[in-house]
Amino acid sequence: MSGHALLVYARRAAGLTQDALARLAGTSQPTLSAYERGTKSPSLAVAERIIEAAHHRLEVRPAVEFVEVPGQYGLHPFWLAHQLWQLDPQRAFASVLLPGPRHPWPAPRQQYHLADRAERARAYELILREGGPTDMLDFIDGALLVDIWEDLELPDPIRRAWQPLIRKTLPEQRAATLASGEWQYQPRA
């Protein structure tokens, strides 16, 4: 998203007119209009002030990188992230239809209610097995993945590949339990 589009988005999401946001941010409506059209560029400090006046926050987050892990033991290649990410709550607990129309996954289309822990686990299993980076970033929340990690039925190569990232994110005591082998995956009956 471009800088001027970001200003427009923040203002509209806050339900403010240009005039109202300009007054809240300590600038003029013509200046804000020029920023939103992209004919004038605000400094970073001014852009931050305008975005905060619209009840939003400007932040820098590291980009999530993925690596494709070659398939092994009859498993097709899958994707592994180098760090976890966060979805906004509305997306993290949405109802989703998977696989989507652009996915050739070997699974029947089904509605998953991500607010339901058991359905979220089934959706996350499908996405981790069959999805790509975009699918993961669209539907999986890192904290929720860590929370249900022990409940997921995943092929061993996927579980082993993701385990160090999950362990690194867990509170120390729970990570030590995973590392010591005290916790053992038990398939659902």
Side-chain angles (χ1 to χ4, degrees):
M1 181 180 290
S2 66
H4 59 90
L6 186 63
L7 295 175
V8 172
Y9 169 81
R11 179 178 60 78
R12 288 181 179 164
L16 297 170
T17 64
Q18 282 184 347
D19 189 52
L21 179 57
R23 277 188 274 114
L24 289 170
T27 191
S28 70
Q29 183 277 325
T31 300
L32 179 59
S33 178
Y35 292 157
E36 288 188 0
R37 287 190 323 272
T39 59
K40 189 173 181 181
S41 295
S43 68
L44 185 56
V46 170
E48 184 175 28
R49 188 177 75 232
I50 293 168
I51 289 170
E52 286 179 356
H55 309 291
H56 285 75
R57 181 177 48 214
L58 185 62
E59 40 180 64
V60 175
R61 292 185 185 187
V64 179
E65 296 175 15
F66 290 86
V67 62
E68 188 174 25
V69 178
Q72 47 186 304
Y73 311 112
L75 183 68
H76 61 78
F78 60 92
W79 292 91
L80 175 65
H82 81 291
Q83 69 182 33
L84 294 177
W85 58 95
Q86 180 181 6
L87 297 180
D88 66 77
Q90 187 175 9
R91 285 180 53 207
F93 296 107
S95 292
V96 297
L97 185 61
L98 295 173
R102 71 180 197 280
H103 300 106
W105 301 351
R109 290 185 78 174
Q110 181 178 335
Q111 186 85 17
Y112 294 91
H113 304 284
L114 301 180
D116 179 272
R117 184 181 174 87
E119 288 191 37
R120 182 180 335 116
R122 303 303 67 87
Y124 281 19
E125 291 166 354
L126 178 62
I127 295 163
L128 289 169
R129 282 193 319 265
E130 305 294 338
T134 301
D135 303 308
M136 292 181 197
L137 292 172
D138 283 347
F139 304 116
I140 294 178
D141 177 86
L144 295 175
L145 174 63
V146 170
D147 180 59
I148 64 170
W149 181 251
E150 296 169 6
D151 299 336
L152 299 180
E153 289 185 20
L154 294 168
D156 286 340
I158 295 176
R159 183 169 290 284
R160 281 194 308 273
W162 280 84
Q163 189 71 26
L165 179 58
I166 300 297
R167 190 178 305 137
K168 179 175 85 172
T169 307
L170 286 171
E172 211 171 291
Q173 182 181 16
R174 193 165 160 208
T177 301
L178 280 176
S180 71
E182 291 176 36
W183 174 80
Q184 294 294 321
Y185 167 69
Q186 298 295 323
R188 289 188 308 271

